[in-house]
Amino acid sequence: SPASAAAAIPCHLSAAIDRALAPDPAGRFATAEEFAEAVDVAFMSRPAIPGAVRTWVTAQDPWRTPYFLWSAGWLVSAAYESMGMDYVFFIFSLVMSAVPAIPATLFELRTVRRLRDAGYSLEDVTAALPALEAEENEQMITRDHDRPVWFAPAARGAAWSAVGALALLATNDLQHYVTNDLVIMGTIFAGAIALPLLTALGVPVLPAFAMAQKPLRRHFWDSALGRRVERLLHRGRPALAPASMFRPTERVVSSAIEALWSSLPTTYREHLDDVPIVVKRLEAHASRARSTLLKFADASVAAGSTSSLRSARDRARRDLESAVSALESIRLELLRLLGGDSDLAPTTTVLSAARRMDSDLTRLKQAQREVELVIRPTGLDLRPHTPA
């Protein structure tokens, strides 16, 4: 494999070469065009993620494990007190279990405040998530490219079985059935090193669940309450950083439209009251399409049909271009109105076209999801994870 001779080679390019040189002809690319498409996917560019945004996404409270143990201990105490009908200590235990929420909340507020002080918002974090997830997927592919598919789940199963056996031994349940000292010592040794050994082998201790892709903290900050808290933290702070190469086009144009719409006279805003809604929906469509394009850079060329990848990528590219074009048309119309033109007819026409495009893209997305629900068990799942 080229990866064994040049560690810096992109993993997708290495996979494309490996497939082209497969010993079995059936495992190679059917045409030179498919090989060219695989190489093209391997070199798809990603935006550079600012350090402040990357820091917020990866921030984890170092005291989260002690907090969890503290809360779990007091909850066990509350359960015990409830059985003893001692409601005073029951309420006290519940209150004590919630104490870690205070420093944990302060930690989260400080991370968002630092993000805003650096000139970025949580919307910038949302825009950066597809690129960050693409990087994580590439790291996983690089880490597991020389391992069979079954290795990670098998290693996790063996490790957790050893930990479970150690737990049974600690509670004396296993000693009723096992009396051999060598077996007991082997169980203690295996259970003690099982999880650290997984980490040493580069296997995640837990499988990648959907919640792991979007932690609880991100669920909160993506909610309406989280956005409201962010705005409160931003009061009296410096303005956001100007648009940069990091921010995708749809986000830059959407921000410009928001500023222009807010500058319109009240009468115009009343006639164009759904502009913010339409713009947000178009921005979401564009972000979803861009996320899909980034996902193609992480789909192994050795799996699935390259022709299907090509058609899906072309569709996502068309959706992205259409949504960005509609946003740009709206921006130009608002500029025209701010320039003194009082004719709302062209703006209304542009908005009607944008609404139709939003409706078409929404129906297409629903149809794609219905198809993916059918083919996903037997094929490659290309549906991107889109933040709420």
Side-chain angles (χ1 to χ4, degrees), residues 19-299:
R19 182 177 174 186
L21 300 178
D24 184 6
R28 303 171 193 163
F29 293 101
T31 64
E33 182 182 10
E34 287 190 5
F35 176 67
E37 288 289 339
V39 173
D40 184 35
V41 168
F43 282 103
M44 289 185 66
S45 60
R46 300 193 189 112
I49 308 300
V53 176
R54 188 184 297 274
T55 299
W56 188 92
V57 174
T58 58
Q60 291 183 337
D61 193 332
W63 286 85
R64 63 189 182 282
T65 300
Y67 290 163
F68 173 78
L69 295 176
W70 170 283
S71 298
W74 281 104
L75 287 175
V76 170
S77 175
Y80 177 79
E81 299 296 343
S82 65
M83 292 186 293
M85 301 298 180
D86 192 340
Y87 294 109
V88 174
F89 282 98
F90 170 72
I91 295 175
F92 176 76
S93 298
L94 287 180
V95 172
M96 292 300 294
S97 69
V99 167
I102 299 175
T105 301
L106 293 176
F107 175 85
E108 284 298 320
L109 294 177
R110 184 176 64 87
T111 59
V112 174
R113 193 70 174 258
R114 291 177 62 184
L115 178 71
R116 296 301 299 242
D117 287 346
Y120 298 98
S121 67
L122 290 175
E123 291 185 349
D124 290 321
V125 173
T126 301
L129 287 179
L132 290 170
E133 291 172 359
E135 291 181 3
E136 293 176 359
N137 291 336
E138 183 173 354
Q139 292 173 0
M140 292 177 60
I141 293 173
T142 303
R143 182 191 64 206
D144 301 332
H145 78 280
D146 57 345
R147 294 174 178 169
V149 178
W150 53 266
F151 178 81
R156 273 194 295 265
W160 283 107
S161 297
V163 173
L166 179 61
L168 290 175
L169 188 65
T171 58
N172 294 324
D173 290 341
L174 194 62
Q175 293 185 8
H176 294 298
Y177 305 98
V178 179
T179 58
N180 190 304
D181 291 341
L182 290 177
V183 174
I184 292 176
M185 287 188 293
T187 302
I188 295 174
F189 178 77
I193 71 165
L195 298 184
L197 186 60
L198 276 185
T199 304
L201 294 175
V203 178
V205 174
L206 295 175
F209 297 110
M211 184 60 73
Q213 296 179 359
K214 189 177 182 184
L216 183 61
R217 63 191 293 259
R218 207 179 299 164
H219 275 284
F220 170 76
W221 289 114
D222 278 342
S223 66
L225 177 60
R227 300 292 185 180
R228 191 173 295 112
V229 172
E230 181 197 9
R231 287 194 294 270
L232 290 175
L233 291 173
H234 183 55
R235 286 186 177 179
R237 310 299 290 182
L240 295 183
S244 64
M245 293 181 62
F246 150 69
R247 290 191 175 100
T249 305
E250 61 272 11
R251 176 62 192 141
V252 175
V253 179
S254 175
S255 299
I257 293 175
E258 292 174 6
L260 292 172
W261 187 82
S262 300
S263 302
L264 287 175
T266 304
T267 305
Y268 285 177
R269 290 203 303 270
E270 291 175 353
H271 284 87
L272 307 173
D273 58 342
D274 63 338
V275 165
I277 299 175
V278 174
V279 168
K280 283 297 182 185
R281 292 181 64 87
L282 289 175
E283 182 186 352
H285 288 305
S287 177
R288 188 179 301 109
R290 190 179 298 277
S291 175
T292 302
L293 290 173
L294 287 171
K295 288 290 182 180
F296 289 134
D298 303 291

Side-chain angles (χ1 to χ4, degrees), residues 322-366:
S322 299
V324 172
S325 176
L327 287 171
E328 184 63 20
S329 297
I330 295 175
R331 186 185 72 87
L332 293 176
E333 281 300 315
L334 296 185
L335 280 173
R336 183 181 60 82
L337 293 177
L338 283 175
D341 195 336
S342 59
D343 187 6
L344 290 176
T347 307
T348 304
T349 301
V350 169
L351 281 177
S352 298
R355 295 188 196 100
R356 288 194 300 270
M357 181 175 298
D358 168 49
S359 178
D360 292 341
L361 291 175
T362 300
R363 285 197 298 269
L364 179 61
K365 180 186 69 175
Q366 293 172 348

